Amino acid sequence: MDKATASPLPALFVSHGSPMLALEPGTTGPFLQRLGRGIDRRFGRPRAIVAVSPHTAARAPVVLGSAIHHAVHDFGGFPEALYRLQYSPPGAPELAQRVRGLLAGGGIESTASEDAGLDHGIWSVLRFAWPEADIPVLPIALAPGQPPAAQWALGAALAPLLHEGVLVLGSGSVTHNLGLIFGAAQPAADAAEITESRAFREWVAGRVAAGDRDALLDYRARAPHAALMHPSDEHWLPFYIAAGAGGLDAPGLPGAPDMPDMPGVSGVRLHDAITYGCLGMDAYAFGDAAAALGEALAGVA
């Protein structure tokens, strides 16, 4: 699985929003369909996907090397049709060993598990992008107690996989405050975006375009309305894993002297969308291949 390829893949961060994405795709479902087709056409079908979602979590990274996976319906109170949906791709037990070796090489401790199953943050996305469920998937449990810099370092350790035909996918939400959705007056799915959400999403887009790693890592202090858009970090942390894998960088990272100095590489926002007026559905690509993917998607129907 560690054979190098001529054209590296980008690393991806996608927003999965509500579990209802699977039944009510809005503009994000069609985007994810184009994303899968665009990657296949531009880079070739990925050999495997390493996926991280906030809905599979542990105190430290856990590599789930089952031989086969299934859709886990890790939610309640939704329509029965949602629980009937399935997604059962092969797992990647051999890749699990490679991933653990890369993490160890980056000074990151991990454990292995043969547990099977993909949480909805993973399967709801992949079901649109690669509905055939024929690409092996290797989930890594997110460690939500670890700060953005640690997530970035984990992504950086996985960067060699992009040159081996393995896609690194972080699934979360660019904004995520369910209290704004399930309050006394629940907004409609197509409600106009609130000012605070737009300000946060555009700040992220600007910092990504500038390759400003320092600001992104310090988002709690620097991003507008950070606490409102993310009362807790878990749905935002997969962004840093994708950015780290893709090499988005800027000189001078306070507090993490052991992180490698990499040349500046700007990420690309591939999808700009909102649902319920405050739940951002943006998607980003990172790495040398990010711009090429953006160009490829422009030509994919």
Side-chain angles (χ1 to χ4, degrees):
M1 186 65 74
D2 58 352
K3 183 179 179 181
T5 57
S7 180
L9 287 161
L12 299 177
F13 170 76
V14 299
S15 298
H16 61 258
S18 161
M20 285 299 290
L21 171 68
L23 295 180
E24 299 175 352
T27 63
T28 299
F31 158 73
L32 292 169
Q33 291 172 334
R34 292 192 298 110
L35 180 64
R37 293 194 295 267
I39 289 174
D40 287 355
R41 293 178 188 178
R42 178 60 181 82
F43 305 100
R45 204 167 186 82
R47 296 180 185 174
I49 299 170
V50 171
V52 182
S53 159
H55 300 287
T56 299
R59 292 184 178 180
V62 180
V63 180
L64 283 77
S66 174
I68 191 168
H69 290 292
H70 58 274
V72 176
H73 301 91
D74 51 347
F75 40 75
F78 288 88
E80 179 61 29
L82 193 56
Y83 299 93
R84 291 197 296 266
L85 296 180
Q86 291 297 324
Y87 192 81
S88 302
E94 292 184 3
L95 178 60
Q97 300 177 26
R98 168 73 171 147
V99 165
R100 292 201 67 206
L102 289 172
L103 295 179
I108 299 168
E109 294 185 5
S110 68
T111 57
S113 171
E114 295 183 0
D115 288 350
L118 304 179
D119 67 62
H120 78 268
I122 299 173
W123 70 258
S124 67
V125 168
L126 296 183
R127 197 169 179 274
F128 284 106
W130 289 283
E132 302 86 354
D134 59 350
I135 301 176
V137 180
L138 180 70
I140 299 179
L142 178 75
Q146 297 183 1
Q151 310 294 344
W152 202 296
L154 187 149
L158 299 177
L161 297 176
L162 302 177
H163 296 266
E164 299 166 15
V166 177
L167 182 69
V168 176
L169 173 70
S171 177
S173 288
V174 70
T175 58
H176 191 266
N177 184 341
L178 297 184
L180 297 174
I181 300 175
F182 298 111
Q186 180 175 339
D190 60 352
E193 184 172 17
I194 64 174
T195 301
E196 295 86 348
S197 173
R198 169 57 65 176
F200 183 91
R201 291 197 305 120
E202 290 309 306
W203 180 87
V204 171
R207 293 306 85 213
V208 169
D212 192 346
R213 182 179 69 178
D214 289 0
L216 288 164
L217 287 172
D218 195 26
Y219 91 101
R220 281 284 177 190
R222 302 196 199 185
H225 314 294
L228 180 65
M229 291 298 96
H230 287 285
S232 56
D233 276 338
E234 74 284 344
H235 273 74
W236 183 226
L237 294 177
F239 170 91
Y240 295 106
I241 294 174
L248 181 69
D249 204 356
L253 177 62
D258 294 330
M259 185 174 290
D261 291 327
M262 297 173 286
V265 178
S266 292
V268 174
R269 180 159 66 172
L270 302 175
H271 184 55
D272 170 5
I274 194 77
T275 187
Y276 298 105
C278 61
L279 190 58
M281 300 300 292
D282 299 15
Y284 285 88
F286 300 97
D288 293 339
L293 176 57
E295 293 170 359
L297 290 183
V300 175

